[in-house]
Amino acid sequence: MRRKIVAGNWKLNTTLQEGVKLALSLNELVGKGVPENVQVIVAPPFTHLTEVRKVIGNKTGLAAQNCSAQKSGAFTGEVSAEMIKSAGAGYVIVGHSERRNYFNESDLDLSSKVINAIESGLQPIFCCGEKLHEREKSIYTEVIKKQVHLGLFDLDAEHFKKVIIAYEPVWAIGTGKNATPEQAQEIHQYIRHLIEEQYNSDMADNTTILYGGSCKPSNAREIFSKDDVDGGLIGGASLSADDFYSIINSF
Ligand code: PEP
């Protein structure tokens, strides 16, 4: 059975103290139980990783929000996948649209980040998704195909097994406007089809594909009920332990 995941992306929010408090509140709720086969993950800022690791139980996964395309050396301000792993994380978000769009991260950079992450023992949560004008022009499948091909499909099958994909339509992120469950299902099924073409049907069946974009307690249940939707990457709503826990319990 495919693993379900609910991952919270805290983005550029919370001081260290606020982050630890949020993690403690979440940990208390998660301690009451989560649905079977659901992996909970939190992605705080880099500075919080080690402290958050100490307060979330070992059942909750820890992710960084980005990693360097470089392994080490004279790259001031960068944080490598290996450093993230050594801070106690097991996952890293790669290719979030905010990184692609505000920091001009290219498909080539993202491919290097994915490889570095896997070689360092992290599971990448690879984000893809179209912008509003691309959806309006009905070229969204081409956009996603290109992102997935260039970012992921250089991986051999053993490496690809570590990948988690998040479909995040850019027009739905932080806008309050979520994709409909049918729109999410269409793209998740399409991504699975791309994986089958590139690898095989087992790989397509076993890859966890998350939906992200204004997912909240009021819409998560309907979105997660779709066959090819295996959970969510949650931004704004993950900053409230209660809302995030309610989303976790939407399966
Ligand atoms: C995200 O940042 O990945 C995201 C989906 O944000 P939000 O839930 O706030 O739209």
Side-chain angles (χ1 to χ4, degrees):
M1 188 159 67
R2 252 188 333 257
R3 189 165 58 138
K4 311 281 184 194
I5 294 178
V6 180
N9 174 14
W10 296 1
K11 311 194 189 194
L12 185 60
N13 293 297
T14 72
T15 61
L16 175 59
Q17 293 72 24
E18 289 163 349
V20 168
K21 209 167 146 202
L22 174 59
L24 279 167
S25 306
L26 179 65
N27 197 43
E28 205 177 306
L29 293 171
V30 166
K32 295 182 184 170
V34 300
E36 218 185 307
N37 193 34
V38 174
Q39 171 71 61
V40 178
I41 299 174
V42 290
F46 287 133
T47 46
H48 305 12
L49 287 172
T50 48
E51 291 304 312
V52 169
R53 177 73 281 163
K54 288 178 196 161
V55 301
I56 53 174
N58 50 16
K59 284 205 187 121
T60 299
L62 184 67
Q65 299 171 17
N66 180 30
C67 68
S68 181
Q70 309 296 333
K71 288 194 168 151
S72 65
F75 299 100
T76 303
E78 288 288 87
V79 178
S80 74
E82 192 183 16
M83 291 170 189
I84 292 165
K85 175 73 179 171
S86 72
Y91 305 85
V92 59
I93 298 171
V94 174
H96 191 284
S97 63
E98 287 153 13
R99 303 269 351 145
R100 290 177 188 264
N101 298 326
Y102 305 151
F103 301 94
N104 297 321
E105 293 194 358
S106 68
D107 291 307
L108 197 67
D109 294 330
L110 301 181
S111 167
S112 302
K113 289 180 184 213
V114 165
I115 292 168
N116 286 350
I118 295 172
E119 287 182 348
S120 302
L122 296 172
Q123 282 197 258
I125 303 173
F126 179 85
C127 304
C128 59
E130 80 285 0
K131 294 181 182 156
L132 183 59
H133 70 93
E134 293 161 338
R135 175 150 287 263
E136 286 172 347
K137 277 197 253 160
S138 287
I139 54 166
Y140 49 96
T141 51
E142 287 92 319
V143 171
I144 287 153
K145 182 175 186 177
K146 182 166 174 269
Q147 291 174 342
V148 168
H149 264 268
L150 296 177
L152 295 176
F153 284 176
D154 274 347
L155 295 172
D156 62 33
E158 275 317 297
H159 283 72
F160 188 85
K161 279 184 189 158
K162 304 285 179 204
V163 171
I164 297 157
I165 296 178
Y167 166 57
E168 299 209 306
V170 180
W171 47 271
I173 297 180
T175 58
K177 193 178 170 210
N178 60 284
T180 64
E182 291 71 29
Q183 285 171 325
Q185 169 60 24
E186 180 200 357
I187 299 299
H188 285 227
Q189 195 175 22
Y190 175 66
I191 294 171
R192 235 177 265 294
H193 160 75
L194 294 176
I195 300 169
E196 182 173 355
E197 270 186 349
Q198 182 70 22
Y199 298 95
N200 54 52
S201 61
D202 272 2
M203 192 76 92
D205 282 346
N206 290 324
T207 303
T208 295
I209 307 180
L210 311 179
Y211 166 77
S214 298
C215 197
K216 38 190 183 271
S218 57
N219 59 25
R221 186 174 297 278
E222 221 193 324
I223 297 172
F224 293 177
S225 71
K226 291 294 175 190
D227 282 352
D228 289 296
V229 178
D230 305 315
L233 180 54
I234 318 299
S238 70
L239 294 171
S240 153
D242 286 332
D243 285 355
F244 191 54
Y245 187 59
S246 161
I247 294 172
I248 294 165
N249 281 297
S250 298
F251 285 103

